[in-house]
Amino acid sequence: MNSYITFTLLSLFLALNLNPSLASSLDLTDDTNASITRYSTYVKNACNVTRYQHLCVRTLWPFAIVAKNNSSIWARAGVAVTITDTKQILRLLLRTRNSAVGKRERIALSDCRELFVDSLDSLYKSLAVLRKLNADEFQRQISDLATWLSAALTDQDTCLDGFAETSDINSSPTVRMIRRKATKCMQLCSNALALLNKLAYDGL
Ligand SMILES: *[C@@H]1O[C@H](CO)[C@@H](O)[C@H](O)[C@H]1NC(C)=O
Ligand SMILES: *[C@@H]1O[C@H](CO)[C@@H](O)[C@H](O)[C@H]1NC(C)=O
Ligand SMILES: *[C@@H]1O[C@H](CO)[C@@H](O)[C@H](O)[C@H]1NC(C)=O
Ligand SMILES: *[C@@H]1O[C@H](CO)[C@@H](O)[C@H](O)[C@H]1NC(C)=O
């Protein structure tokens, strides 16, 4: 079975949010159909433990072919996609340094910059450990990871709290965008923490 074709089809099905059973209407071979079903089962199974399951499936399906049901690869993927979004929002936050917003919003944005820098640091430390997991140090590694990922999540939550008193309707477009992206990032981070808990439970 050509895994490139499977990958492409899998992306199509997940992107369109279709049920694999619809594969039959496309006249796919049984083999292809079975692969699509299998890979979407892997990602749905991994994401089952997360709070934001749709977001999890949408962001992590490309890892299904490599990760299958390996919890340590899923946890690493969860952190990797969170890092990508965290870096993106940090770039935006740095660009909005001089944007014309009210005083309260300016303070909130400035706090968010510090919090997201901190958060990114914790996420990178986590990724480094996830890359060299080993049975001898597993318990300590999991405990470090839980500390850092919780800290990263708290930072991102705290950033969002800063906007809690400014209503969305009165916010500037910049603030609304930052808020939306920070919310998604926080949800990815929450998912990564859930995937870590699954790894702690499953073991290496
Ligand atoms: C593809 O898989 C679905 C669900 O597993 C099944 O209902 C359908 O009949 C299959 N189609 C083909 C062509 O095998
Ligand atoms: C997800 O978890 C629930 C229980 O929490 C279980 O009933 C369900 O079968 C699981 N789904 C998958 C795809 O593993
Ligand atoms: C992982 O997947 C294989 C087959 O794909 C299955 O036999 C095995 O039970 C699965 N392991 C877990 C822990 O789900
Ligand atoms: C999961 O993947 C990791 C890293 O690729 C590997 O070291 C480990 O042996 C795998 N675990 C299982 C159960 O296959």
Side-chain angles (χ1 to χ4, degrees):
M1 179 58 219
N2 183 330
S3 68
Y4 177 75
I5 294 176
T6 306
F7 184 78
T8 309
L9 286 168
L10 180 67
S11 63
L12 181 71
F13 284 108
L14 290 169
L16 300 176
N17 217 348
L18 296 177
N19 190 298
S21 67
L22 292 178
S24 51
S25 64
L26 287 178
D27 254 355
L28 297 173
T29 64
D30 287 356
D31 230 19
T32 312
N33 193 17
S35 301
I36 292 168
T37 308
R38 188 152 35 86
Y39 288 121
S40 60
T41 304
Y42 285 136
V43 68
K44 280 181 195 151
N45 189 41
C47 288
N48 201 10
V49 297
T50 63
R51 176 150 176 209
Y52 307 99
Q53 292 193 20
H54 290 298
L55 181 65
C56 179
V57 170
R58 198 149 46 80
T59 51
L60 294 188
W61 65 260
F63 297 90
I65 287 176
V66 176
K68 298 199 168 72
N69 55 15
N70 185 319
S71 309
S72 79
I73 299 180
W74 284 116
R76 202 165 60 196
V79 171
V81 300
T82 311
I83 286 178
T84 304
D85 268 52
T86 302
K87 274 162 48 181
Q88 192 201 18
I89 196 168
L90 255 178
R91 272 196 299 273
L92 284 170
L93 282 165
L94 292 172
R95 218 181 297 149
T96 58
R97 214 189 270 275
N98 299 312
S99 56
V101 294
K103 179 158 184 263
R104 190 193 290 253
E105 291 184 331
R106 206 162 52 239
I107 293 169
L109 286 174
S110 152
D111 286 348
C112 279
R113 273 192 288 277
E114 280 180 33
L115 289 161
F116 268 86
V117 166
D118 209 49
S119 183
L120 188 59
D121 186 52
S122 303
L123 288 165
Y124 273 129
K125 283 197 282 194
S126 304
L127 189 61
V129 170
L130 284 166
R131 281 186 174 139
K132 45 181 200 216
L133 288 174
N134 66 80
D136 291 342
E137 300 176 276
F138 190 65
Q139 287 313 324
R140 194 178 54 76
Q141 289 177 320
I142 289 291
S143 136
D144 284 348
L145 285 164
T147 305
W148 293 328
L149 287 184
S150 306
L153 182 59
T154 304
D155 283 337
Q156 302 196 359
D157 257 336
T158 308
C159 161
L160 286 167
D161 283 348
F163 298 113
E165 285 172 27
T166 57
S167 92
D168 222 20
I169 305 155
N170 300 323
S171 300
S172 69
T174 303
V175 167
R176 276 206 297 271
M177 176 191 62
I178 296 281
R179 211 168 166 176
R180 200 179 60 241
K181 289 186 186 291
T183 302
K184 180 186 169 208
C185 205
M186 177 280 287
Q187 293 174 345
L188 288 173
C189 197
S190 155
N191 284 350
L193 188 54
L195 292 169
L196 174 74
N197 286 333
K198 183 169 160 60
L199 168 62
Y201 179 82
D202 290 349
L204 266 186

